[in-house]
Amino acid sequence: DTAVSQTPKYLVTQMGNDKSIKCEQNLGHDTMYWYKQDSKKFLKIMFSYNNKELIINETVPNRFSPKSPDKAHLNLHINSLELGDSAVYFCASSHRGRTEAFFGQGTRLTVV
Amino acid sequence: KQEVTQIPAALSVPEGENLVLNCSFTDSAIYNLQWFRQDPGKGLTSLLLIQSSQREQTSGRLNASLDKSSGRSTLYIAASQPGDSATYLCAADQGGSEKLVFGKGTKLTVNP
């Protein structure tokens, strides 16, 4: 049973396109996150949702819009993709940051 | 603002050696510190979570310690094996928030 699952695993797209990455967790956690891992492998938080409410919104371009239809799902929509958006995007979940965080396998986004 | 530093950036050891990975953080008002493992092209696997009230946690050949007052954590790996080769990431929350701040990792290579 996959605890945190993301789709797709790989995404190659052209500049200017709009794309979405989906994430689902079956751990019963109330908080979900999106992290970005850049080309230097540095992981940084982008967004956090608790019970469908946005609680962390780092300085991310507004082309990135997270959506949480319920507390088990957190999707990431990216408009007008740019070359610099190429990275690995990880979804994660925990209980309000008070318990172990579990990560998905990542989505490798390549913008060409 | 929490900053997490990991030393060394890379480490190469012969199989069977015991080793220590270091992590330091600037904001001691943490709730949790978590160690992860990342294999090339893969997601993050949680290894150990240490809550602020704890001094250490153990799982198999792994032992993680936490010294909040000095802002340090160590991950001890006993009797290292080639399968332990991976990048090890340390993450601390920021001021007890849900946000995990990651170090840049230590890339470990265990040679047969």
Side-chain angles (χ1 to χ4, degrees):
Chain A
D1 282 347
T2 303
V4 182
S5 60
Q6 298 177 226
T7 54
K9 188 173 180 181
Y10 299 97
L11 186 53
V12 181
T13 188
Q14 291 186 326
M15 282 176 56
N17 284 350
D18 302 339
K19 291 293 178 186
S20 292
I21 306 172
K22 295 186 176 182
C23 179
E24 175 181 5
Q25 55 96 3
N26 63 5
L27 298 166
H29 287 159
D30 58 6
T31 305
M32 295 185 72
Y33 314 80
W34 280 110
Y35 283 82
K36 178 180 180 179
Q37 189 170 43
D38 61 25
S39 57
K40 297 184 178 179
K41 309 297 184 186
F42 187 52
L43 263 165
K44 191 172 179 184
I45 193 165
M46 300 173 69
F47 302 103
S48 173
Y49 270 75
N50 176 261
N51 283 323
K52 302 194 297 176
E53 180 185 347
L54 180 66
I55 53 173
I56 293 175
N57 184 352
E58 292 292 288
T59 50
V60 176
N62 57 15
R63 297 182 295 104
F64 290 78
S65 54
K67 284 186 172 50
S68 181
D70 55 61
K71 70 176 189 178
H73 295 85
L74 180 61
N75 304 322
L76 183 65
H77 189 75
I78 315 169
N79 289 325
S80 303
L81 278 154
E82 300 177 357
L83 293 176
D85 297 332
S86 296
V88 182
Y89 293 85
F90 286 98
C91 177
S93 72
S94 76
H95 268 307
R96 197 75 202 240
R98 297 295 182 256
T99 63
E100 199 171 3
F102 289 88
F103 280 69
Q105 81 277 21
T107 296
R108 182 174 294 276
L109 171 66
T110 304
V111 183
V112 297
Chain B
K1 179 184 172 184
Q2 182 71 279
E3 292 181 5
V4 177
T5 303
Q6 291 187 247
I7 295 173
L11 181 63
S12 181
V13 300
E15 182 176 2
E17 193 161 296
N18 301 326
L19 58 101
V20 174
L21 306 181
N22 296 294
C23 171
S24 61
F25 48 94
T26 55
D27 182 356
S28 62
I30 63 170
Y31 197 87
N32 291 325
L33 186 136
Q34 197 165 350
W35 283 93
F36 295 87
R37 167 186 174 141
Q38 185 174 27
D39 293 281
K42 304 287 186 182
L44 278 70
T45 301
S46 177
L47 297 174
L48 289 164
L49 171 77
I50 312 178
Q51 295 184 334
S52 61
S53 58
Q54 299 172 323
R55 298 280 297 182
E56 64 179 275
Q57 283 284 352
T58 298
S59 175
R61 294 181 294 107
L62 305 179
N63 176 278
S65 68
L66 175 64
D67 184 344
K68 270 185 59 175
S69 60
S70 66
R72 293 183 182 182
S73 177
T74 61
L75 180 66
Y76 175 82
I77 303 177
S80 58
Q81 303 171 357
D84 294 331
S85 298
T87 296
Y88 290 81
L89 295 161
C90 167
D93 59 65
Q94 178 162 299
S97 76
E98 296 83 357
K99 171 180 169 179
L100 278 178
V101 178
F102 281 82
K104 294 186 177 180
T106 294
K107 184 175 181 180
L108 173 66
T109 303
V110 181
N111 301 300

